[in-house]
Amino acid sequence: MPQNGVALPATRYTIHEWTGSNANQYLTSSTERTSSNNLRLEAERLRCETADRTRRTQNDINVKLQDRIDNITYWKTEVDRQLQKTDQEIANLMSSKKQLEQAHVATQLPHEVATTCLKHREGRLSIDLVHDDVEVQLLKEVEMIENIQALLQQRISESDRQLSELRHCKSNLEFDLKDKCTSYGLDSRCAGLHNGSLGMSIHNNSVKIDPKSATPVSYEAFSHDNITNAEKQRVSSCRQRELNEHTMHQTSNDLHKQAETVNESFRIRTQEMIVAKTNLEENLNQTILEIGSMNENIAALKEAVRLKDSPMRVAHMRLNTRSYRPNIELVRDPVQYGLVEEVAQITDSIEALALSSMRATLNFVT
């Protein structure tokens, strides 16, 4: 029943229970505070530990990034140096090739001169159409020039192939250098990032390692192979340039030597022709003089034959007149014998003179 009009709770606790309850609350509170303190200490330790680990990891990454930047810088410098050397070698080989082309063009004129000489010499007449040393040397010069043209063209083709190899190496080096410059920029940007940098965000998709990406070994091997191949091709290009230079020098010497040989053959042949011409002119003059003498001789023989006509007529007239001597007077006296002998003698003289004139005339005609 309520006392004095106040309603009392149904349950009543004793002082002992109240004291025990407070003691339990104190104990529980103390336990909770101890647990909380332990958790707080553990959290502090973990925070410090993770902060230290994160700091050390970040510092380690910074060092690795710098090492990577240094590595990229080294290979970028090497690739760039090889690229410049390859560019220079391409320019050198192109210059060598241009000299080959100019040398090839320069052979056209001597070839035309030699073939023109041979063509003109085909116009020689009769016995002068001789297969002489000049013709031999001209034919040799034409063959030599054609062989030299073929050799120079071969060197030009070889240079083109070597230029193609060098340009391929240059393309690989340029591609490699471009990638390294990009990578250098990106890693330098990464190295510049810090915890206070602005604009940073989380990229969960980037937190992975692509199994197809290059390893440090394959990375260095790629650039090393590009550099090695470029060095190899530059050595081949240097040898090609040396071969080109030797070919141009040797062929130039051969052409000059053969040209001198041809000129010497022309000089000797011209001297022979001058001597032959002089001898022929001298013989012609002597022959003309002889022809004049022969004409005079033929005229003298004809005159001698003509001069025999009167003595012949006289002898014949005397014989004919004496044939009219009468009877015993027709004597075979010395006069008669002398006249007959005179006619015979004159006849023989006329025949001898006529024969000599005929021979002289035939000799004159031939």
Side-chain angles (χ1 to χ4, degrees):
M1 289 295 295
Q3 294 178 3
N4 300 324
V6 178
L8 297 175
T11 303
R12 293 282 184 168
Y13 297 97
T14 65
I15 292 297
H16 176 74
E17 289 175 332
W18 175 78
T19 301
S21 174
N22 288 336
N24 286 335
Q25 291 292 335
Y26 299 152
L27 179 60
T28 301
S29 174
S30 176
T31 301
E32 291 295 331
R33 286 197 307 275
T34 300
S35 176
S36 176
N37 184 60
N38 290 337
L39 287 174
R40 184 171 53 79
L41 292 175
E42 178 63 22
E44 180 67 17
R45 184 193 63 77
L46 182 61
R47 183 182 64 79
C48 293
E49 181 182 339
T50 55
D52 183 63
R53 183 168 63 246
T54 300
R55 184 175 58 256
R56 284 187 286 105
T57 301
Q58 194 174 70
N59 289 338
D60 183 59
I61 293 298
N62 289 338
V63 172
K64 289 180 178 179
L65 266 175
Q66 188 57 52
D67 289 343
R68 182 60 184 161
I69 291 171
D70 293 342
N71 183 259
I72 294 173
T73 300
Y74 168 78
W75 285 107
K76 184 167 68 72
T77 302
E78 286 297 306
V79 170
D80 185 55
R81 186 167 62 87
Q82 294 297 323
L83 179 58
Q84 292 179 16
K85 287 184 177 181
T86 303
D87 266 334
Q88 184 60 49
E89 185 57 37
I90 288 174
N92 293 341
L93 186 55
M94 288 181 67
S95 176
S96 178
K97 178 193 169 186
K98 184 176 181 180
Q99 291 175 357
L100 285 171
E101 292 170 341
Q102 292 173 342
H104 189 278
V105 172
T107 61
Q108 294 176 3
L109 181 59
H111 184 270
E112 183 179 349
V113 170
T115 53
T116 301
C117 285
L118 287 170
K119 182 179 179 180
H120 287 332
R121 296 188 94 241
E122 288 299 315
R124 293 174 294 168
L125 302 175
S126 187
I127 192 63
D128 286 324
L129 190 60
V130 181
H131 183 61
D132 53 11
D133 187 59
V134 174
E135 184 171 356
V136 170
Q137 295 304 326
L138 282 172
L139 290 171
K140 182 178 179 181
E141 184 177 28
V142 170
E143 182 182 8
M144 177 183 292
I145 292 173
E146 290 174 352
N147 290 337
I148 287 174
Q149 288 175 336
L151 181 59
L152 290 174
Q153 187 58 54
Q154 179 183 341
R155 295 289 178 262
I156 291 172
S157 298
E158 291 171 353
S159 298
D160 280 334
R161 288 193 293 271
Q162 187 58 56
L163 279 170
S164 178
E165 292 293 335
L166 285 172
R167 290 189 178 108
H168 179 68
C169 290
K170 178 185 175 182
S171 177
N172 289 340
L173 290 170
E174 287 176 334
F175 178 79
D176 195 9
L177 181 61
K178 178 182 177 182
D179 287 351
K180 280 178 171 49
C181 288
T182 301
S183 180
Y184 176 83
L186 293 173
D187 278 349
S188 295
R189 180 182 174 187
C190 289
L193 293 176
H194 53 83
N195 296 334
S197 298
L198 300 177
M200 293 189 296
S201 58
I202 300 299
H203 298 275
N204 291 323
N205 291 334
S206 299
V207 186
K208 61 182 179 180
I209 296 178
D210 187 353
K212 296 181 180 179
S213 61
T215 64
V217 173
S218 63
Y219 167 85
E220 294 191 359
F222 179 80
S223 296
H224 182 268
D225 290 345
N226 285 337
I227 291 173
T228 301
N229 192 40
E231 290 175 339
K232 178 182 176 182
Q233 293 304 325
R234 286 202 306 274
V235 170
S236 297
S237 180
C238 287
R239 291 174 180 170
Q240 184 65 52
R241 287 192 291 111
E242 290 173 357
L243 184 58
N244 293 348
E245 182 66 26
H246 174 74
T247 299
M248 287 187 287
H249 179 73
Q250 187 63 47
T251 54
S252 177
N253 286 343
D254 291 344
L255 279 177
H256 280 93
K257 186 181 295 184
Q258 183 60 27
E260 291 174 357
T261 301
V262 170
N263 290 337
E264 180 63 16
S265 297
F266 265 117
R267 188 192 68 77
I268 294 173
R269 185 58 179 163
T270 301
Q271 188 63 35
E272 291 174 349
M273 293 295 291
I274 291 173
V275 172
K277 179 175 176 291
T278 301
N279 291 335
L280 286 172
E281 288 174 342
E282 187 175 322
N283 277 274
L284 177 61
N285 291 332
Q286 293 176 358
T287 301
I288 290 172
L289 291 175
E290 185 61 30
I291 288 172
S293 299
M294 185 61 73
N295 282 330
E296 293 175 359
N297 181 53
I298 291 173
L301 288 172
K302 289 181 178 180
E303 181 63 19
V305 170
R306 188 187 68 77
L307 292 174
K308 293 294 184 287
D309 183 65
S310 294
M312 177 65 82
R313 288 176 182 274
V314 170
H316 273 273
M317 193 64 185
R318 285 175 175 174
L319 284 170
N320 184 60
T321 299
R322 296 191 84 228
S323 67
Y324 290 103
R325 289 176 296 169
N327 300 316
I328 196 64
E329 292 300 324
L330 190 62
V331 180
R332 291 177 291 176
D333 54 9
V335 175
Q336 188 71 18
Y337 280 109
L339 287 170
V340 171
E341 184 178 353
E342 182 183 11
V343 169
Q345 184 184 40
I346 292 174
T347 300
D348 289 341
S349 296
I350 290 173
E351 290 177 352
L353 290 170
L355 179 61
S356 178
S357 177
M358 182 180 68
R359 288 176 178 174
T361 301
L362 290 174
N363 184 64
F364 175 75
V365 172
T366 55

